[in-house]
């Protein structure tokens, strides 16, 4: 029982570190580049998927506790290289676009209709690039009627 608990704790620890660097790459290479006003903690908390996190926790915990040291080091090393690769600007931007961006969206408010890309859909605001205006605008979620 204690070996299972150790595997779970080690998996949680290493998965948390991997997840931290993925979100850090997203923040540095997408959020900061587009001047989106969001703190790292909110970004980290809002974009967690518990099922993916638990899956990697179990896999990494199993690798650490139940496989040979060489296999564990190689596997976890590859995961760390992939996680750290989001710190490289083109890779971080691509990951962030797949995670956060919605392309070719129409958003309606009471007064206007906007057509463009959603850069970030936050808790209270939507950071939106409008094709017609050719600039980034911030829309209050309370005033948005719908997205299409």
């Amino acid at each position: 029982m204690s070996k299972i608990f150790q595997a779970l704790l080690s998996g949680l620890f290493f998965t948390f570190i991997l997840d931290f660097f993925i979100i850090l790459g997203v923040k540095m290479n997408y959020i900061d580049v587009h001047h989106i006003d969001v703190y790292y903690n909110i970004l980290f908390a809002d974009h967690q998927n518990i099922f993916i996190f638990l899956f990697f926790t179990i896999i990494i915990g199993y690798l650490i506790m139940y496989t040979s040291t060489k296999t564990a080091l190689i596997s976890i090393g590859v995961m760390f290289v992939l996680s750290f690769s989001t710190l490289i600007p083109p890779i971080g931007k691509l990951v962030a676009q797949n995670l956060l961006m919605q392309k070719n969206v129409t958003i309606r408010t009471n007064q206007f209709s906007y057509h463009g890309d959603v850069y970030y859909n936050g808790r209270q605001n939507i950071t939106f690039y409008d094709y017609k205006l050719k600039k980034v605008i911030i829309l209050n979620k309370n005033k948005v009627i719908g997205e299409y």
Side-chain angles (χ1 to χ4, degrees), residues 29-99:
N29 299 309
Y30 183 79
I31 298 294
D32 292 344
V33 169
H34 292 293
H35 306 289
I36 299 170
D37 188 28
V38 64
Y39 291 110
Y40 177 85
N41 296 348
I42 294 171
L43 183 69
F44 188 83
D46 287 352
H47 294 91
Q48 294 301 310
N49 186 325
I50 190 70
F51 300 113
I52 294 173
F53 191 84
L54 287 176
F55 173 76
F56 279 103
T57 296
I58 292 167
I59 296 298
I60 292 172
Y62 175 80
L63 286 171
I64 290 171
M65 295 305 292
Y66 295 105
T67 62
S68 69
T69 305
K70 186 177 180 179
T71 304
L73 285 175
I74 291 171
S75 302
I76 293 172
V78 167
M79 287 184 216
F80 269 96
V81 167
L82 291 174
S83 177
F84 290 157
S85 69
T86 62
L87 299 175
I88 300 169
I91 297 172
K93 182 180 178 183
L94 182 66
V95 169
Q97 285 176 341
N98 287 327
L99 183 67

Side-chain angles (χ1 to χ4, degrees), residues 94-112:
L94 182 66
V95 169
Q97 285 176 341
N98 287 327
L99 183 67
L100 303 174
M101 184 183 253
Q102 299 171 2
K103 292 191 173 266
N104 206 17
V105 175
T106 302
I107 295 180
R108 290 188 323 134
T109 63
N110 288 334
Q111 298 173 348
F112 301 106

Side-chain angles (χ1 to χ4, degrees), residues 6 48 60 68-69 119 127 137-138:
Q6 286 176 341
Q48 294 301 310
I60 292 172
S68 69
T69 305
Y119 280 179
T127 305
I137 57 175
I138 309 295

